[in-house]
Amino acid sequence: MNQTRLGYLYGLGAYLLWGFFPIYFKLLRPAGPVEILAHRVVWSVAFVALLLAALRNYGFLRALLHRPRTLAGIVVAAALIAVNWGTYIYGVNSDRVVETALGYFINPLVSVLLGVFVLRERLRPAQWAALGVGALAVAVLTVDYGRPPWLALTLAVSFAGYGLVKKRLGLPAAEGLFVESAVLALPALAYLGWLVHRGDSTFGHGSAGHTALLVLAGAATAIPLLLFAGAANRLPLSAVGMLQYLAPILQLGCGVLIFHEPMPPARLAGFALVWLALIVFTVDALRQAGQSRAEARAAGAPRPPVPAEAGGQRTS
């Protein structure tokens, strides 16, 4: 199969799975958000450990022990992804799926802001315009909710920060997820043990299907991440950027169409402003990517032959 086509299949698989996550996490009730998060961490470690064992790929652990700055970065990444996962699970199971979708719509704009303030990147006028429209959208949604959309903002900031740290670390997907989950595994196991001691654990006390779904949280976490890595390695960044909007669109659909969460006119107007900001941002990114490719082709093209008159010498 063509590698580009395979990349699109991997990307679609990843974002389809992420898009239908609200349905999966709803099925994990009556487990609370922190218990679900703890199981997600523990079973992620187990799943990825088995995968790495099958691939005989444990050598990277020895190398990490001699890179303390990388280990510190992994701890920061683990903390950020724990906040993101926990907030998302809480949002889904408190009937705020629409707001969680908003967080992932806003995420690209927050990533741009981090590029300005952390990486000292300079923005093009269209990017500033997109950020301005995005800020207006947050203001409209604040009026609609009667409060700032804290849950959406927490998701956007935590995931954008996680992406920034991961970009600097440069670890492969499976290895990175394993180490990040391993960092969180001890507190997760301690929390699950505390729940068992109190008699509040739902693991093994509900139906067999519920217990199986908790165990499968590890695979549900790792598989879309590995599919995403496969897509990122085969597709241009602009294509991956377009695909990323599929997940929040599906999450929004789950919230409104399946779970019947309200979407009053003011909230819809706020979402429309977010979508306008993303359209401006995406069109500008695609235009810039096209210019970069054209410049790269021009730089790599052979120089045309110099006419005899221009060169000051005739050959005939």
Side-chain angles (χ1 to χ4, degrees):
M1 181 182 289
N2 178 281
Q3 288 299 306
T4 300
R5 186 176 300 175
L6 187 61
Y8 277 109
L9 287 175
Y10 282 151
L12 285 171
Y15 285 112
L16 283 172
L17 289 171
W18 280 327
F20 289 113
F21 259 15
I23 298 173
Y24 176 75
F25 285 118
K26 288 275 191 182
L27 294 174
L28 298 182
R29 293 188 297 187
V34 181
E35 183 181 4
I36 295 171
L37 174 62
H39 278 289
R40 191 175 182 183
V41 167
V42 170
W43 297 113
S44 292
V45 174
F47 179 83
V48 182
L50 289 173
L51 180 63
L52 293 175
L55 297 175
R56 301 180 183 276
N57 187 17
Y58 277 114
F60 75 97
L61 288 173
R62 289 191 296 272
L64 276 180
L65 294 176
H66 302 288
R67 297 164 61 188
R69 292 185 65 178
T70 301
L71 286 173
I74 290 170
V75 171
V76 173
L80 287 168
I81 202 60
V83 169
N84 184 268
W85 288 354
T87 303
Y88 183 78
I89 295 165
Y90 168 77
V92 168
N93 285 344
S94 60
D95 300 321
R96 293 162 70 181
V97 174
V98 168
E99 193 174 346
T100 65
L102 174 65
Y104 290 109
F105 278 124
I106 294 174
N107 175 67
L109 303 176
V110 176
S111 294
V112 171
L113 273 178
L114 286 180
V116 173
F117 291 109
V118 179
L119 302 179
R120 304 298 180 186
E121 295 176 353
R122 304 184 73 174
L123 298 187
R124 297 181 294 276
Q127 292 175 308
W128 281 117
L131 288 175
V133 175
L136 178 61
V138 171
V140 170
L141 289 164
T142 297
V143 173
D144 172 63
Y145 282 113
R147 54 170 175 78
W150 292 119
L151 191 144
L153 292 172
T154 301
L155 285 172
V157 171
S158 60
F159 198 70
Y162 174 73
L164 177 64
V165 174
K166 292 282 284 184
K167 179 179 176 64
R168 291 191 162 186
L169 291 175
L171 292 175
E175 289 84 343
L177 178 61
F178 175 77
V179 180
E180 291 156 16
S181 299
V183 168
L184 300 170
L186 281 179
L189 284 169
Y191 179 77
L192 292 175
W194 180 72
L195 285 181
V196 171
H197 177 72
R198 284 170 50 96
D200 292 333
S201 173
T202 64
F203 185 77
H205 295 286
S207 67
H210 179 264
T211 300
L213 286 172
L214 284 173
V215 172
L216 288 172
T221 297
I223 289 173
L225 185 66
L226 296 174
L227 289 173
F228 171 78
N233 289 337
R234 291 169 174 83
L235 296 177
L237 189 60
S238 57
V240 176
M242 291 294 290
L243 284 173
Q244 74 176 335
Y245 300 129
L246 179 61
I249 288 171
L250 291 173
Q251 291 167 6
L252 178 62
C254 287
V256 175
L257 301 176
I258 298 177
F259 303 125
H260 307 293
E261 293 185 14
M263 180 62 83
R267 192 167 306 170
L268 184 59
F271 269 85
L273 286 170
V274 171
W275 296 330
L276 175 61
L278 291 174
I279 289 169
V280 173
F281 175 76
T282 303
V283 169
D284 177 71
L286 291 173
R287 182 183 59 82
Q288 184 65 26
Q291 287 182 354
S292 299
R293 286 195 296 271
E295 291 170 1
R297 284 195 297 268
R303 298 180 64 181
V306 179
E309 291 83 356
Q313 182 180 358
R314 295 183 65 93
T315 57
S316 61

